[in-house]
Amino acid sequence: MADLATRAPGSVRITGWGMYAPPDVLTNADLEQLVDTSDAWIVERTGIRERHIARPEESTATMAAIAGRRALAVAGLEPDELDLIVVPTLTADHRTPSAASLVKEGLGSTRAAAVDIGAACSGFPYGYALAHGFVAAGLGRHVLVVAAETLSRFTDFTDRGTCVLLGDGAGAVVLSASDEPGGGLLGLELTDEPEGAYSIWQPAGGSRFPLTPAGIAAGEQFWHMDGRDTYRHATRQMAATARAALERARIGPDEVSLFIPHQANLRIIETVAKQLDLPMERVFVNIDRYGNTSAASVPLALAEAVAGGRVRIGDKLCLLAFGAGFTSGALVLEWTADPARDTLAGSVDPTD
Ligand code: ACO
Protein backbone atom coordinates (compact mmCIF):
# COMPACT_ATOMS: atom_id res chain seq x y z
CA MET A 1 0.00 0.00 0.00
CA ALA A 2 1.09 3.53 -0.72
CA ASP A 3 1.88 5.91 2.14
CA LEU A 4 -0.17 8.96 3.08
CA ALA A 5 2.08 11.21 1.00
CA THR A 6 0.18 10.06 -2.09
CA ARG A 7 -2.83 12.13 -1.02
CA ALA A 8 -4.01 14.09 -4.05
CA PRO A 9 -5.00 17.76 -3.82
CA GLY A 10 -7.48 17.27 -6.67
CA SER A 11 -10.31 14.81 -7.01
CA VAL A 12 -11.11 11.12 -7.35
CA ARG A 13 -12.32 10.15 -10.80
CA ILE A 14 -13.29 7.13 -12.87
CA THR A 15 -10.41 6.48 -15.27
CA GLY A 16 -11.32 2.98 -16.47
CA TRP A 17 -14.38 0.82 -16.97
CA GLY A 18 -15.18 -2.58 -18.38
CA MET A 19 -17.61 -5.48 -18.30
CA TYR A 20 -17.76 -9.17 -19.01
CA ALA A 21 -20.67 -11.51 -19.66
CA PRO A 22 -20.09 -15.21 -20.21
CA PRO A 23 -20.77 -16.41 -23.77
CA ASP A 24 -23.51 -18.93 -22.91
CA VAL A 25 -27.02 -17.48 -23.09
CA LEU A 26 -30.16 -18.88 -21.45
CA THR A 27 -33.30 -17.63 -23.19
CA ASN A 28 -36.87 -17.52 -21.93
CA ALA A 29 -37.61 -20.34 -24.39
CA ASP A 30 -34.91 -22.43 -22.65
CA LEU A 31 -36.57 -21.74 -19.27
CA GLU A 32 -39.93 -22.86 -20.68
CA GLN A 33 -38.31 -26.32 -20.90
CA LEU A 34 -37.27 -26.22 -17.21
CA VAL A 35 -40.23 -24.75 -15.32
CA ASP A 36 -43.90 -23.92 -15.84
CA THR A 37 -43.40 -20.45 -17.33
CA SER A 38 -43.67 -18.64 -20.65
CA ASP A 39 -41.69 -16.07 -22.60
CA ALA A 40 -44.79 -13.83 -22.56
CA TRP A 41 -45.08 -13.97 -18.72
CA ILE A 42 -41.38 -13.28 -18.14
CA VAL A 43 -41.24 -10.38 -20.63
CA GLU A 44 -44.45 -8.79 -19.35
CA ARG A 45 -43.69 -9.15 -15.62
CA THR A 46 -39.90 -8.50 -15.70
CA GLY A 47 -38.71 -7.23 -19.12
CA ILE A 48 -36.10 -10.04 -19.28
CA ARG A 49 -35.60 -11.96 -22.55
CA GLU A 50 -32.29 -13.71 -21.93
CA ARG A 51 -29.42 -13.89 -19.45
CA HIS A 52 -25.78 -15.03 -19.57
CA ILE A 53 -24.76 -18.10 -17.59
CA ALA A 54 -21.20 -18.89 -16.50
CA ARG A 55 -19.53 -21.94 -18.03
CA PRO A 56 -18.37 -24.66 -15.60
CA GLU A 57 -14.78 -23.44 -15.75
CA GLU A 58 -15.84 -19.85 -14.96
CA SER A 59 -16.40 -18.34 -11.51
CA THR A 60 -17.03 -14.97 -9.93
CA ALA A 61 -13.28 -14.32 -9.65
CA THR A 62 -12.45 -15.34 -13.24
CA MET A 63 -15.20 -13.12 -14.65
CA ALA A 64 -14.18 -10.25 -12.36
CA ALA A 65 -10.57 -10.54 -13.51
CA ILE A 66 -11.62 -10.19 -17.17
CA ALA A 67 -13.78 -7.13 -16.49
CA GLY A 68 -11.00 -5.74 -14.29
CA ARG A 69 -8.36 -6.24 -16.98
CA ARG A 70 -10.56 -4.37 -19.46
CA ALA A 71 -11.01 -1.49 -17.01
CA LEU A 72 -7.25 -1.31 -16.39
CA ALA A 73 -6.62 -1.21 -20.16
CA VAL A 74 -9.01 1.75 -20.52
CA ALA A 75 -7.28 3.49 -17.60
CA GLY A 76 -3.87 2.78 -19.13
CA LEU A 77 -2.70 1.12 -15.91
CA GLU A 78 -0.77 -2.05 -15.11
CA PRO A 79 -2.17 -4.38 -12.41
CA ASP A 80 0.83 -3.51 -10.22
CA GLU A 81 -0.26 0.11 -10.09
CA LEU A 82 -3.39 -0.81 -8.13
CA ASP A 83 -3.39 -0.02 -4.41
CA LEU A 84 -6.70 -1.72 -3.61
CA ILE A 85 -9.09 -4.19 -5.23
CA VAL A 86 -12.70 -4.13 -4.02
CA VAL A 87 -15.08 -6.89 -5.10
CA PRO A 88 -18.77 -6.38 -4.31
CA THR A 89 -20.38 -9.83 -4.61
CA LEU A 90 -22.76 -12.22 -2.89
CA THR A 91 -21.40 -15.20 -4.83
CA ALA A 92 -17.68 -15.29 -4.03
CA ASP A 93 -15.86 -18.43 -5.23
CA HIS A 94 -15.51 -19.63 -1.63
CA ARG A 95 -16.56 -18.44 1.81
CA THR A 96 -12.85 -17.90 2.27
CA PRO A 97 -10.52 -16.72 0.73
CA SER A 98 -12.20 -13.60 -0.61
CA ALA A 99 -13.03 -13.28 -4.29
CA ALA A 100 -10.87 -10.13 -4.23
CA SER A 101 -7.84 -12.21 -3.26
CA LEU A 102 -8.42 -14.47 -6.26
CA VAL A 103 -9.02 -11.50 -8.57
CA LYS A 104 -5.71 -10.03 -7.43
CA GLU A 105 -4.01 -13.31 -8.33
CA GLY A 106 -5.87 -13.50 -11.65
CA LEU A 107 -4.77 -9.99 -12.59
CA GLY A 108 -1.18 -10.62 -11.55
CA SER A 109 -1.28 -7.65 -9.22
CA THR A 110 1.38 -7.82 -6.50
CA ARG A 111 0.93 -4.71 -4.34
CA ALA A 112 -2.80 -4.22 -3.92
CA ALA A 113 -4.82 -4.80 -0.78
CA ALA A 114 -7.97 -6.79 -1.57
CA VAL A 115 -11.41 -7.05 0.04
CA ASP A 116 -14.95 -8.24 -0.75
CA ILE A 117 -18.07 -6.22 -0.02
CA GLY A 118 -21.30 -7.95 1.02
CA ALA A 119 -24.19 -5.61 0.29
CA ALA A 120 -26.01 -7.87 -2.21
CA CYS A 121 -27.34 -6.04 -5.28
CA SER A 122 -26.31 -2.69 -3.71
CA GLY A 123 -22.68 -3.76 -3.48
CA PHE A 124 -21.40 -1.44 -6.21
CA PRO A 125 -22.31 1.90 -4.56
CA TYR A 126 -20.97 0.55 -1.26
CA GLY A 127 -17.73 -0.56 -2.96
CA TYR A 128 -17.44 2.74 -4.81
CA ALA A 129 -17.83 4.65 -1.52
CA LEU A 130 -15.02 2.62 0.06
CA ALA A 131 -12.76 3.13 -2.96
CA HIS A 132 -13.50 6.86 -3.17
CA GLY A 133 -12.78 7.34 0.53
CA PHE A 134 -9.55 5.34 0.27
CA VAL A 135 -8.20 7.50 -2.55
CA ALA A 136 -9.56 10.78 -1.14
CA ALA A 137 -7.85 10.02 2.18
CA GLY A 138 -4.53 9.59 0.37
CA LEU A 139 -4.21 5.90 1.19
CA GLY A 140 -3.56 5.04 -2.45
CA ARG A 141 -3.88 6.42 -6.00
CA HIS A 142 -5.69 3.69 -7.93
CA VAL A 143 -8.50 1.35 -6.85
CA LEU A 144 -10.28 -1.29 -8.92
CA VAL A 145 -13.92 -1.83 -7.99
CA VAL A 146 -15.13 -4.92 -9.81
CA ALA A 147 -18.53 -6.36 -9.00
CA ALA A 148 -19.19 -9.89 -10.22
CA GLU A 149 -21.79 -12.57 -9.68
CA THR A 150 -22.29 -16.22 -10.53
CA LEU A 151 -25.91 -16.30 -9.35
CA SER A 152 -26.67 -19.36 -11.49
CA ARG A 153 -24.71 -21.53 -9.00
CA PHE A 154 -27.10 -20.57 -6.17
CA THR A 155 -30.33 -20.65 -8.17
CA ASP A 156 -32.98 -23.33 -7.84
CA PHE A 157 -33.84 -24.06 -11.47
CA THR A 158 -37.07 -25.75 -10.34
CA ASP A 159 -38.36 -22.51 -8.72
CA ARG A 160 -40.04 -20.39 -11.39
CA GLY A 161 -40.36 -17.47 -8.97
CA THR A 162 -36.59 -16.90 -8.93
CA CYS A 163 -34.86 -18.78 -11.75
CA VAL A 164 -36.25 -16.57 -14.53
CA LEU A 165 -34.75 -13.43 -12.96
CA LEU A 166 -31.03 -14.05 -12.70
CA GLY A 167 -27.91 -13.82 -14.82
CA ASP A 168 -24.13 -13.96 -14.39
CA GLY A 169 -21.57 -11.29 -15.26
CA ALA A 170 -19.13 -8.64 -14.08
CA GLY A 171 -18.66 -4.88 -14.28
CA ALA A 172 -15.65 -2.80 -13.23
CA VAL A 173 -14.40 0.73 -12.75
CA VAL A 174 -10.97 2.09 -11.83
CA LEU A 175 -10.98 5.10 -9.50
CA SER A 176 -7.85 7.23 -9.58
CA ALA A 177 -6.50 10.29 -7.80
CA SER A 178 -6.56 13.26 -10.16
CA ASP A 179 -4.63 16.51 -9.92
CA GLU A 180 -7.59 18.28 -11.51
CA PRO A 181 -10.22 19.59 -9.10
CA GLY A 182 -13.92 18.74 -9.49
CA GLY A 183 -15.67 15.91 -11.28
CA GLY A 184 -16.16 12.43 -9.90
CA LEU A 185 -18.45 11.87 -6.93
CA LEU A 186 -20.93 14.69 -6.33
CA GLY A 187 -23.41 12.94 -4.03
CA LEU A 188 -23.83 9.62 -2.24
CA GLU A 189 -26.50 7.85 -0.19
CA LEU A 190 -26.23 4.36 1.31
CA THR A 191 -29.07 2.74 3.27
CA ASP A 192 -29.85 -0.51 5.06
CA GLU A 193 -33.27 -1.63 6.32
CA PRO A 194 -32.69 -4.87 8.28
CA GLU A 195 -36.41 -5.63 8.67
CA GLY A 196 -36.15 -6.95 5.09
CA ALA A 197 -33.26 -9.26 5.94
CA TYR A 198 -35.17 -12.47 5.28
CA SER A 199 -37.11 -11.32 2.21
CA ILE A 200 -34.14 -12.32 0.05
CA TRP A 201 -31.80 -14.82 1.62
CA GLN A 202 -29.72 -17.91 1.23
CA PRO A 203 -30.63 -19.92 4.35
CA ALA A 204 -27.76 -22.42 4.63
CA GLY A 205 -24.02 -22.27 4.25
CA GLY A 206 -23.34 -19.61 6.86
CA SER A 207 -22.52 -19.89 10.56
CA ARG A 208 -26.17 -19.99 11.64
CA PHE A 209 -27.23 -22.90 9.43
CA PRO A 210 -24.15 -24.73 8.16
CA LEU A 211 -24.62 -26.86 5.06
CA THR A 212 -25.93 -30.36 5.87
CA PRO A 213 -27.14 -33.17 3.59
CA ALA A 214 -30.70 -32.54 4.85
CA GLY A 215 -30.39 -28.82 4.15
CA ILE A 216 -29.10 -29.48 0.67
CA ALA A 217 -31.96 -31.91 0.01
CA ALA A 218 -34.36 -29.13 1.08
CA GLY A 219 -32.70 -26.62 -1.28
CA GLU A 220 -31.45 -24.37 1.54
CA GLN A 221 -28.24 -23.62 -0.34
CA PHE A 222 -30.22 -21.69 -2.95
CA TRP A 223 -31.37 -18.12 -2.57
CA HIS A 224 -35.04 -17.59 -1.70
CA MET A 225 -37.10 -14.47 -2.24
CA ASP A 226 -40.43 -12.97 -1.29
CA GLY A 227 -40.91 -11.31 -4.67
CA ARG A 228 -43.88 -9.11 -3.76
CA ASP A 229 -42.28 -7.75 -0.57
CA THR A 230 -39.04 -7.09 -2.47
CA TYR A 231 -40.93 -5.34 -5.25
CA ARG A 232 -42.82 -3.14 -2.76
CA HIS A 233 -39.67 -2.10 -0.91
CA ALA A 234 -37.68 -1.54 -4.11
CA THR A 235 -40.23 0.85 -5.55
CA ARG A 236 -40.37 2.80 -2.27
CA GLN A 237 -36.70 2.81 -1.28
CA MET A 238 -34.97 3.38 -4.63
CA ALA A 239 -36.51 6.76 -5.45
CA ALA A 240 -35.91 8.01 -1.87
CA THR A 241 -32.25 6.92 -2.04
CA ALA A 242 -31.75 8.63 -5.41
CA ARG A 243 -33.37 11.82 -4.13
CA ALA A 244 -31.11 11.89 -1.06
CA ALA A 245 -27.96 11.51 -3.20
CA LEU A 246 -29.18 14.18 -5.64
CA GLU A 247 -29.86 16.55 -2.75
CA ARG A 248 -26.30 16.05 -1.49
CA ALA A 249 -25.09 16.80 -5.03
CA ARG A 250 -27.38 19.86 -5.08
CA ILE A 251 -28.91 18.96 -8.39
CA GLY A 252 -32.41 17.95 -9.39
CA PRO A 253 -33.37 14.81 -11.33
CA ASP A 254 -33.89 17.03 -14.40
CA GLU A 255 -30.13 17.76 -14.44
CA VAL A 256 -29.21 14.06 -14.63
CA SER A 257 -28.12 13.17 -18.17
CA LEU A 258 -28.37 9.44 -17.61
CA PHE A 259 -29.89 7.45 -14.80
CA ILE A 260 -28.39 3.94 -14.44
CA PRO A 261 -30.54 1.85 -12.10
CA HIS A 262 -30.08 -1.70 -10.84
CA GLN A 263 -31.60 -4.02 -13.44
CA ALA A 264 -33.93 -6.20 -11.33
CA ASN A 265 -37.25 -5.73 -13.06
CA LEU A 266 -38.25 -3.35 -15.87
CA ARG A 267 -41.48 -2.50 -14.03
CA ILE A 268 -39.48 -1.42 -10.96
CA ILE A 269 -37.22 0.74 -13.16
CA GLU A 270 -40.21 2.39 -14.88
CA THR A 271 -41.95 3.06 -11.54
CA VAL A 272 -38.84 4.66 -10.04
CA ALA A 273 -38.30 6.77 -13.20
CA LYS A 274 -41.89 7.99 -12.92
CA GLN A 275 -41.45 8.85 -9.24
CA LEU A 276 -38.38 10.91 -10.17
CA ASP A 277 -40.13 12.47 -13.17
CA LEU A 278 -37.51 11.07 -15.53
CA PRO A 279 -38.40 10.23 -19.12
CA MET A 280 -37.29 6.69 -20.02
CA GLU A 281 -34.97 8.17 -22.72
CA ARG A 282 -32.72 9.25 -19.83
CA VAL A 283 -32.83 5.86 -18.13
CA PHE A 284 -30.41 3.09 -19.15
CA VAL A 285 -31.98 -0.35 -19.54
CA ASN A 286 -30.25 -3.60 -20.53
CA ILE A 287 -32.22 -6.05 -18.36
CA ASP A 288 -33.68 -7.66 -21.51
CA ARG A 289 -30.21 -9.12 -22.34
CA TYR A 290 -28.69 -9.78 -18.89
CA GLY A 291 -31.48 -10.25 -16.33
CA ASN A 292 -30.58 -9.36 -12.76
CA THR A 293 -26.83 -9.71 -12.22
CA SER A 294 -27.06 -8.41 -8.64
CA ALA A 295 -23.98 -6.36 -7.64
CA ALA A 296 -22.61 -6.53 -11.21
CA SER A 297 -25.72 -4.98 -12.72
CA VAL A 298 -24.94 -1.26 -12.26
CA PRO A 299 -21.23 -1.26 -13.34
CA LEU A 300 -22.04 -3.63 -16.21
CA ALA A 301 -24.76 -1.21 -17.35
CA LEU A 302 -22.40 1.77 -16.92
CA ALA A 303 -19.74 0.12 -19.10
CA GLU A 304 -22.35 -0.64 -21.78
CA ALA A 305 -23.73 2.89 -21.60
CA VAL A 306 -20.26 4.40 -22.14
CA ALA A 307 -19.43 1.94 -24.95
CA GLY A 308 -22.80 2.72 -26.57
CA GLY A 309 -22.15 6.49 -26.71
CA ARG A 310 -24.72 7.33 -24.00
CA VAL A 311 -22.17 9.14 -21.75
CA ARG A 312 -20.15 12.27 -22.55
CA ILE A 313 -17.60 14.33 -20.63
CA GLY A 314 -19.42 16.69 -18.24
CA ASP A 315 -22.53 14.50 -18.00
CA LYS A 316 -24.10 14.05 -14.60
CA LEU A 317 -25.00 10.43 -13.92
CA CYS A 318 -27.10 8.88 -11.18
CA LEU A 319 -26.24 5.24 -10.43
CA LEU A 320 -28.84 3.56 -8.22
CA ALA A 321 -28.99 0.10 -6.65
CA PHE A 322 -31.29 -1.88 -4.38
CA GLY A 323 -31.01 -5.38 -2.97
CA ALA A 324 -31.15 -7.90 -0.16
CA GLY A 325 -30.78 -6.49 3.31
CA PHE A 326 -32.75 -4.47 2.30
CA THR A 327 -29.88 -2.28 1.13
CA SER A 328 -29.81 0.56 -1.35
CA GLY A 329 -27.24 2.99 -2.65
CA ALA A 330 -27.04 5.91 -5.06
CA LEU A 331 -24.06 7.70 -6.55
CA VAL A 332 -24.25 11.02 -8.38
CA LEU A 333 -21.19 11.40 -10.58
CA GLU A 334 -19.79 13.96 -13.00
CA TRP A 335 -18.23 12.02 -15.86
CA THR A 336 -14.72 13.24 -16.74
CA ALA A 337 -13.12 10.46 -18.83
CA ASP A 338 -12.92 10.37 -22.62
CA PRO A 339 -15.37 7.63 -23.69
CA ALA A 340 -13.11 6.97 -26.72
CA ARG A 341 -10.57 5.36 -24.36
CA ASP A 342 -12.94 2.39 -24.42
CA THR A 343 -11.62 1.37 -27.85
CA LEU A 344 -8.22 0.73 -26.23
CA ALA A 345 -9.72 -2.09 -24.18
CA GLY A 346 -11.12 -3.67 -27.33
CA SER A 347 -7.60 -4.46 -28.51
CA VAL A 348 -6.79 -6.32 -25.29
CA ASP A 349 -7.33 -10.06 -25.10
CA PRO A 350 -9.37 -10.22 -21.88
CA THR A 351 -8.25 -13.75 -21.14
CA ASP A 352 -4.50 -13.05 -21.31
N1 ACO B 1 -43.86 -17.83 -14.78
C1 ACO B 1 -45.19 -17.89 -14.73
N2 ACO B 1 -45.89 -17.57 -13.62
C2 ACO B 1 -45.19 -17.18 -12.54
C3 ACO B 1 -43.80 -17.10 -12.53
C4 ACO B 1 -43.12 -17.45 -13.72
N3 ACO B 1 -41.78 -17.40 -13.82
N4 ACO B 1 -43.38 -16.68 -11.32
C5 ACO B 1 -44.49 -16.50 -10.59
N5 ACO B 1 -45.59 -16.82 -11.32
C6 ACO B 1 -46.98 -16.79 -10.92
C7 ACO B 1 -47.16 -16.87 -9.43
O1 ACO B 1 -47.15 -18.22 -9.01
C8 ACO B 1 -48.51 -16.25 -9.26
O2 ACO B 1 -49.50 -17.20 -9.59
P1 ACO B 1 -50.86 -17.28 -8.73
O3 ACO B 1 -51.51 -15.95 -8.93
O4 ACO B 1 -51.56 -18.41 -9.38
O5 ACO B 1 -50.42 -17.53 -7.32
C9 ACO B 1 -48.56 -15.17 -10.35
O6 ACO B 1 -47.53 -15.53 -11.30
C10 ACO B 1 -48.25 -13.78 -9.83
O7 ACO B 1 -47.15 -13.87 -8.95
P2 ACO B 1 -46.48 -12.59 -8.32
O8 ACO B 1 -45.35 -13.01 -7.41
O9 ACO B 1 -47.53 -11.69 -7.76
O10 ACO B 1 -45.88 -11.92 -9.63
P3 ACO B 1 -45.29 -10.50 -9.75
O11 ACO B 1 -45.99 -9.73 -10.78
O12 ACO B 1 -45.08 -9.86 -8.41
O13 ACO B 1 -43.84 -10.81 -10.34
C11 ACO B 1 -41.57 -10.99 -9.63
C12 ACO B 1 -42.96 -11.62 -9.63
C13 ACO B 1 -41.12 -10.82 -11.06
C14 ACO B 1 -40.61 -11.89 -8.89
C15 ACO B 1 -41.67 -9.60 -8.95
O14 ACO B 1 -42.32 -9.73 -7.71
C16 ACO B 1 -40.35 -8.98 -8.74
O15 ACO B 1 -39.66 -8.59 -9.67
N6 ACO B 1 -39.92 -8.78 -7.48
C17 ACO B 1 -38.68 -8.13 -7.18
C18 ACO B 1 -37.51 -8.99 -7.50
C19 ACO B 1 -36.22 -8.28 -7.18
O16 ACO B 1 -36.09 -7.09 -7.34
N7 ACO B 1 -35.26 -9.00 -6.68
C20 ACO B 1 -34.04 -8.36 -6.35
C21 ACO B 1 -33.19 -9.19 -5.62
S1 ACO B 1 -32.59 -10.58 -6.46
C22 ACO B 1 -31.13 -10.91 -5.65
O17 ACO B 1 -30.85 -10.37 -4.69
C23 ACO B 1 -30.21 -11.89 -6.24
Side-chain angles (χ1 to χ4, degrees):
M1 265 176 49
D3 63 35
L4 290 175
T6 59
R7 185 186 174 98
S11 56
V12 184
R13 296 170 165 200
I14 293 180
T15 52
W17 54 92
M19 51 84 61
Y20 173 76
D24 290 348
V25 168
L26 185 71
T27 65
N28 291 349
D30 296 329
L31 284 163
E32 286 175 355
Q33 308 304 311
L34 297 176
V35 288
D36 180 15
T37 192
S38 66
D39 174 57
W41 191 95
I42 301 170
V43 171
E44 190 201 317
R45 307 306 291 172
T46 72
I48 302 168
R49 293 180 186 276
E50 59 186 34
R51 65 290 285 146
H52 293 251
I53 302 290
R55 291 183 167 172
E57 68 275 17
E58 294 186 300
S59 71
T60 293
T62 67
M63 294 191 295
I66 295 171
R69 206 170 288 129
R70 288 177 172 168
L72 286 170
V74 172
L77 292 172
E78 294 299 324
D80 262 347
E81 292 177 86
L82 287 174
D83 297 296
L84 175 66
I85 298 168
V86 180
V87 180
T89 185
L90 51 79
T91 55
D93 296 39
H94 312 284
R95 294 209 63 78
T96 196
S98 68
S101 234
L102 302 178
V103 172
K104 175 178 173 174
E105 186 186 32
L107 289 173
S109 161
T110 54
R111 285 192 321 111
V115 66
D116 287 1
I117 294 262
C121 302
S122 307
F124 182 72
Y126 273 78
Y128 192 104
L130 169 64
H132 176 93
F134 186 87
V135 177
L139 300 175
R141 289 194 69 84
H142 304 290
V143 180
L144 173 68
V145 183
V146 53
E149 301 285 11
T150 322
L151 293 165
S152 60
R153 303 266 158 82
F154 302 93
T155 298
D156 180 354
F157 280 97
T158 66
D159 174 15
R160 70 178 183 174
T162 53
C163 74
V164 302
L165 302 174
L166 301 171
D168 300 334
V173 296
V174 175
L175 296 192
S176 300
S178 166
D179 295 336
E180 303 290 319
L185 186 64
L186 305 179
L188 164 75
E189 173 77 352
L190 301 173
T191 76
D192 184 88
E193 297 189 0
E195 69 270 19
Y198 295 103
S199 293
I200 308 172
W201 71 311
Q202 219 179 314
S207 58
R208 192 165 183 187
F209 303 118
L211 267 185
T212 61
I216 292 172
E220 290 175 358
Q221 72 278 29
F222 298 127
W223 68 279
H224 297 250
M225 181 182 70
D226 178 339
R228 283 180 201 176
D229 190 49
T230 304
Y231 190 97
R232 204 169 38 248
H233 275 84
T235 47
R236 186 177 54 76
Q237 206 168 324
M238 285 176 82
T241 300
R243 274 198 198 97
L246 288 165
E247 264 168 37
R248 293 224 169 95
R250 299 187 185 179
I251 64 169
D254 54 320
E255 293 169 77
V256 173
S257 325
L258 192 65
F259 180 76
I260 304 179
H262 174 44
Q263 311 282 313
N265 183 318
L266 181 58
R267 289 187 296 141
I268 295 176
I269 294 172
E270 287 172 344
T271 303
V272 173
K274 208 166 175 185
Q275 289 167 342
L276 294 171
D277 240 346
L278 282 167
M280 283 305 285
E281 301 81 66
R282 284 197 280 131
V283 179
F284 189 79
V285 174
N286 65 2
I287 191 171
D288 49 325
R289 288 173 290 118
Y290 297 102
N292 179 354
T293 57
S294 191
S297 134
V298 168
L300 194 158
L302 173 66
E304 273 215 341
V306 180
R310 300 281 304 270
V311 177
R312 285 176 298 259
I313 289 176
D315 278 359
K316 301 215 171 48
L317 310 178
C318 180
L319 280 49
L320 175 61
F322 173 85
F326 291 118
T327 52
S328 73
L331 303 166
V332 181
L333 305 175
E334 183 179 329
W335 190 261
T336 53
D338 180 0
R341 288 197 64 82
D342 215 341
T343 52
L344 298 176
S347 62
V348 170
D349 179 352
T351 55
D352 270 354

